[in-house]
């Protein structure tokens, strides 16, 4: 397989299917067994462009290979990584046409493709089909459905899916909780976001940077600066790593209510901690200074941002 990987990698864009076919024909004149075909498609999906994966799959079809769910899963997974939801659903539909039974993995991959492309309605449709056919859903499936709702701004639907995971006694993880909290944050539902956040220890899920940031962002969007700073302090006490998003959301929460001195304290701590400062952080700190009449400090920050 390493030989064909090298040959395919040498094909320069724009990709032409006939060049992919020629490389495959030359390397495998006697064909491939099903297991090797799966390894080939999976290997390409990890490191090569989606067009090449799809062309290789088409080569299998053109040579009358007996494709199974593992072949389809490898290619649908590649579509998911590229957020190519239309290709993913087309392949998913072809499985049904070929009387190949869909598994939890193929459903999840197709859902993920829709979720990453912001096609939340299609992702939820797949989720509903999974429930109807009686597949045993897991944390990955629920997380993909919740993330799809979050990207679509559908916080109520996100909470419904999250509630279903709790009722179904699915072992949730930080991704599931983070997606649910983010869905609430985007619609300024800070109370619900903090409630979900508070449930994490009872579900034996550890807080991490992503879940803390989602909760702080929920408070920031609702101008709940005191709650945001409380979460910031809890992060430090829990020894959870602070990042650019943590500081930016915390500084912005102070800026929105005119707490310029606290915003500057956070900014100073950020610089001392050697956390990357981005344009969003600078703008929030500068805006805080302007609201507090600290023009000189605002000008200094502007100069720092320019350099």
């Amino acid at each position: 397989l390493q030989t064909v990987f090298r040959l395919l990698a040498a094909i320069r864009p724009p990709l032409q299917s006939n060049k992919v076919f020629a490389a495959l024909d030359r390397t495998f004149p006697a064909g491939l067994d099903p297991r090797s075909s799966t390894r080939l498609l999976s290997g390409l999906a990890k490191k090569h462009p989606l067009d090449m994966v799809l062309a290789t799959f088409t080569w299998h079809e053109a040579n009358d290979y007996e494709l199974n769910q593992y072949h389809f899963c490898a290619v649908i997974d590649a579509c998911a990584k590229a957020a190519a939801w239309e290709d993913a659903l087309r392949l998913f539909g072809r499985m049904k046409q070929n009387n190949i039974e869909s598994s939890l993995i193929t459903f999840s991959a197709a859902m993920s493709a829709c979720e990453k492309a912001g096609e939340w309605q299609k992702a939820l449709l797949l989720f509903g089909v999974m429930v109807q056919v009686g597949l045993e859903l897991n944390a990955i499936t629920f997380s993909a459905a919740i993330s799809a709702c979050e990207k679509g701004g559908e916080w109520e639907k996100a909470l419904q899916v999250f509630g279903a995971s709790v009722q179904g006694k699915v072992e949730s993880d930080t991704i599931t909780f983070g997606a649910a909290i983010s869905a609430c944050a985007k619609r300024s539902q800070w109370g619900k976001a903090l409630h979900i956040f508070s449930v994490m220890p009872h579900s034996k899920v550890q807080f991490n940077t992503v879940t803390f940031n989602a909760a702080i962002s929920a408070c920031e969007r609702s101008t709940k600066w005191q709650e945001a700073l409380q979460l910031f302090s809890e992060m430090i006490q829990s020894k959870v790593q602070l990042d650019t998003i943590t500081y930016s959301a915390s500084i912005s929460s102070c800026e929105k209510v005119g707490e310029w001195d606290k915003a500057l304290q956070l900014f100073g701590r950020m610089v001392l901690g050697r956390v990357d400062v981005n344009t969003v952080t600078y703008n929030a700190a500068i805006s805080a200074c302007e609201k507090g009449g600290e023009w000189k400090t605002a000008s200094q920050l502007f100069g720092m941002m320019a350099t």
Side-chain angles (χ1 to χ4, degrees), residues 89-110:
L89 293 187
R90 177 175 55 80
L91 289 163
F92 190 79
R94 199 178 299 174
M95 287 183 70
K96 188 174 181 180
Q97 292 173 2
N98 293 350
N99 295 317
I100 298 171
E101 186 176 355
S102 299
S103 66
L104 179 65
I105 298 173
T106 48
F107 265 106
S108 297

Side-chain angles (χ1 to χ4, degrees), residues 227-258:
E227 287 81 359
L229 293 192
Q230 178 61 39
L231 288 166
F232 184 90
S233 297
E234 288 178 18
M235 282 187 79
I236 296 172
Q237 292 169 9
S238 303
K239 296 182 179 179
V240 175
Q241 185 176 357
L242 311 176
D243 64 7
T244 305
I245 297 173
T246 312
Y247 279 101
S248 295
S250 300
I251 291 169
S252 181
S253 69
C254 295
E255 175 269 326
K256 285 183 176 180
V257 294

Side-chain angles (χ1 to χ4, degrees), residues 43-63:
L44 288 174
K46 289 177 182 177
K47 297 181 180 179
H48 293 74
L50 177 60
D51 286 349
M52 188 172 290
V53 181
L54 292 173
T56 303
F57 184 81
T58 302
W59 175 82
H60 279 81
E61 289 187 311
N63 286 278

